[in-house]
């Protein structure tokens, strides 16, 4: 995962903890006041206990489903007992805390619970909430059932909406990963075809020389077989780096993939630094400059193609989200045995805000991770934004 995604996850986690702590503090103070006001009424004190269990369930993390089922069951049995035997004071304030906690639990259950648990627990919680006025009288139940029904419907709607958002995001992430894997499959075809073609050509040259009767020196034979060996090794390396990611893409429509790779209509060229130069030169709003460090050497095809993909995605994001940027600098340099590809701009993210699915970096993370590299994206200390990928490239 990219640094941006990890940082957002941490922010969401911390925000959730702060919200739970704030709610727990408010609910605790309210229930404490209810205890002080109900010291002389055993039924009211028991309702405070039920409300406390409901609010603990509302903020619980681990074993949330167990807490939810327990809170709903306790509330329902309390209504059954108090409504038939005790009839507590109509003004018991803890009932509002109990209903509020149960509504939060209901929304969370609809949002997060597994399908086999969703319906029975949601029904239990809904019945427990709607039945609470029966603790006083049938008349109270008749008066308050309709408003409570509206609040239950709102809680159900909120839970279903959040569940739909999660499902849509999961489908979008799966689609982004599937598309990137499919593109990797096409790249793998191109890389292997490139190397195998070289092997075939050199083997045909050797065979032609042998059939023509032209004598081959030991040095010439060694050079020819060395070229064949190098091409075969590079093909195996490309396959080894990419097939790991493609293992999870077996559900992709194979005939479509074959049509792209083998149909003969259009095969995508193997990525190289010349194409990267063309890509950067074509980016003029804002103007972009490419700096290739000396001593890069010959990059493996999959590394060059991935570098091209990183730069393409970064420039696309700049065009979408940083219209105020004055300049963009693209650098490709050696860092030990690795190659660092960096795209940096000086924008502040103001101006143009075009729609984006938000999963481009997810696909890049899949590609870079498949090669054994790292991807980092985030703001620069001096201002602007940067996307930096470190790709393993061997000795070059």
């Amino acid at each position: 995962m990219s640094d941006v995604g990890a940082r957002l996850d941490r922010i969401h986690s911390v925000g959730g903890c702060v919200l739970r702590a704030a709610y727990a503090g408010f609910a605790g103070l309210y229930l404490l006041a209810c205890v002080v006001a109900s010291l002389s009424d055993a039924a009211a004190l028991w309702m405070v206990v039920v409300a406390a269990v409901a609010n603990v369930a509302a903020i619980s993390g681990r074993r949330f489903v167990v807490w939810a089922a327990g809170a709903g069951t306790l509330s329902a049995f309390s209504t059954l007992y108090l409504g038939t035997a005790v009839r507590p004071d109509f003004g018991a304030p803890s009932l509002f805390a109990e209903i509020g906690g149960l509504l939060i639990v209901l929304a969370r259950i609809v949002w997060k619970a597994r399908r086999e648990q969703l319906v029975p627990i949601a029904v239990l919680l809904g019945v427990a909430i709607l039945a609470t006025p029966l603790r006083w009288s049938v008349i109270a139940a008749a008066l308050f059932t309709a408003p409570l029904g509206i609040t239950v419907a709102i809680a159900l709607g909120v839970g279903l909406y959040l569940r739909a958002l999660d499902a849509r995001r999961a489908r979008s992430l799966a689609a982004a990963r599937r598309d990137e894997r499919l593109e990797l499959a096409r790249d793998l075809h191109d890389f292997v075809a490139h190397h195998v073609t070289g092997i075939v050509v050199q083997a045909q040259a050797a065979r032609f020389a042998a059939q023509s009767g032209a004598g081959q020196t030991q040095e010439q034979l060694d050079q020819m077989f060395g070229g064949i060996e190098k091409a075969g090794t590079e093909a195996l390396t490309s396959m080894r780096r990419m097939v790991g990611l493609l293992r999870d893409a077996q559900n992709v429509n194979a005939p479509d993939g074959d049509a792209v790779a083998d149909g003969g209509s259009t095969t995508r060229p193997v990525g190289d630094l010349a194409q990267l130069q063309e890509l950067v030169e074509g980016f003029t709003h804002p103007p972009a400059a490419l700096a290739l460090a000396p001593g890069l050497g010959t990059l493996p095809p999959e590394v060059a193609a991935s570098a091209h993909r990183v730069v393409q995605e970064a420039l696309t994001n700049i065009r979408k989200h940083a219209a105020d940027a004055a300049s963009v600098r693209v650098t490709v340099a050696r860092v030990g045995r690795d190659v660092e590809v960096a795209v940096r701009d000086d924008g502040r993210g103001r101006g143009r805000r075009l729609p984006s699915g938000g999963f481009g970096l997810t696909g890049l993370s899949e590609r870079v991770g498949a090669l054994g590299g790292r991807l980092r994206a985030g703001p620069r200390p001096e201002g602007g934004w940067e996307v930096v990928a470190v790709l393993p490239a061997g000795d070059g």
Side-chain angles (χ1 to χ4, degrees):
M1 181 182 293
S2 66
D3 288 357
V4 173
R7 191 180 302 118
L8 287 175
D9 286 343
R10 289 194 294 270
I11 291 173
H12 292 162
S13 178
V14 172
C17 291
V18 171
L19 183 61
R20 288 181 181 180
Y23 180 85
F26 175 79
L29 290 175
Y30 182 82
L31 292 176
L32 183 61
C34 293
V35 170
V36 174
S38 308
L39 290 176
S40 59
D41 188 344
L45 284 175
W46 174 250
M47 290 175 63
V48 172
V49 173
V50 177
V53 172
N55 282 274
V56 170
I59 61 175
S60 62
R62 296 180 179 178
R63 303 180 68 84
F64 167 66
V65 174
V66 176
W67 275 103
T73 303
L74 183 62
S75 176
F77 276 104
S78 297
T79 297
L80 181 64
Y81 173 72
L82 295 175
T84 56
V86 178
R87 298 293 182 185
D89 182 13
F90 187 80
S94 62
L95 185 64
F96 299 104
E98 178 184 345
I99 293 174
L102 290 176
L103 287 171
I104 295 174
V105 173
L106 177 60
R108 289 187 63 193
I109 278 291
V110 176
W111 179 17
K112 293 292 187 181
R114 296 195 299 270
R115 290 186 178 182
E116 62 270 18
Q117 300 172 332
L118 174 60
V119 174
I121 299 180
V123 170
L124 172 63
L125 291 169
V127 170
I129 295 171
L130 295 175
T132 50
L134 289 173
R135 297 178 187 179
W136 298 314
S137 66
V138 177
I139 297 177
L143 291 175
F144 290 103
T145 297
L148 287 176
I150 294 174
T151 60
V152 168
I154 292 174
L156 289 172
V158 170
L160 289 172
Y161 175 72
L162 294 174
R163 191 181 188 94
L165 285 182
D166 284 353
R168 184 172 64 180
R169 178 171 178 80
R171 288 194 300 269
S172 299
L173 285 170
R177 293 189 175 104
R178 182 197 61 214
D179 293 343
E180 193 65 28
R181 289 165 183 161
L182 191 58
E183 186 169 346
L184 279 170
R186 293 193 290 265
D187 284 343
L188 181 59
H189 169 270
D190 291 340
F191 299 154
V192 174
H194 175 75
H195 293 307
V196 171
T197 300
I199 294 173
V200 171
V201 169
Q202 294 185 70
Q204 287 176 341
R207 184 179 181 185
F208 176 78
Q211 291 177 347
S212 63
Q216 299 287 322
T217 65
Q218 184 65 31
E219 182 179 355
Q220 290 174 327
L221 289 174
D222 184 69
Q223 183 179 3
M224 188 173 297
F225 289 128
I228 294 175
E229 180 184 5
K230 180 180 179 182
T233 301
E234 290 177 351
L236 290 174
T237 301
S238 298
M239 292 175 64
R240 185 169 60 249
R241 286 179 173 176
M242 291 188 175
V243 166
L245 186 60
L246 296 175
R247 287 198 312 262
D248 300 327
Q250 295 178 359
N251 59 338
V252 175
N253 193 336
D256 292 342
D258 292 341
V260 173
D262 298 321
S265 58
T266 55
T267 56
R268 303 179 317 115
V270 177
D272 56 20
L273 297 181
Q275 294 180 16
L276 185 60
Q277 180 75 39
E278 295 175 1
L279 174 65
V280 175
E281 289 178 351
F283 192 85
T284 56
H285 301 288
L290 175 64
L292 298 177
L296 277 176
T298 303
L299 300 182
E302 69 277 6
V303 173
S306 295
H308 185 279
R309 181 72 177 85
V310 169
V311 174
Q312 183 181 49
E313 180 64 29
L315 293 179
T316 300
N317 287 338
I318 292 172
R319 182 167 288 163
K320 286 181 177 180
H321 306 303
D324 61 325
S327 64
V328 179
R329 183 171 178 81
V330 181
T331 59
V332 183
R334 279 273 180 179
V335 181
R337 294 170 58 89
D338 300 332
V339 170
E340 182 186 81
V341 182
V343 182
R344 298 180 173 93
D345 67 80
D346 58 358
R348 298 293 187 274
R350 297 189 297 270
R352 187 186 302 115
R353 301 293 295 179
L354 298 181
S356 174
F359 301 104
L361 290 178
T362 300
L364 286 185
S365 298
E366 290 282 339
R367 174 188 285 268
V368 173
L371 296 177
R374 305 183 304 277
L375 179 70
R376 183 180 75 254
R380 302 167 60 196
E382 62 272 25
W385 192 268
E386 65 177 3
V387 177
V388 181
V390 179
L391 305 170
D395 296 328

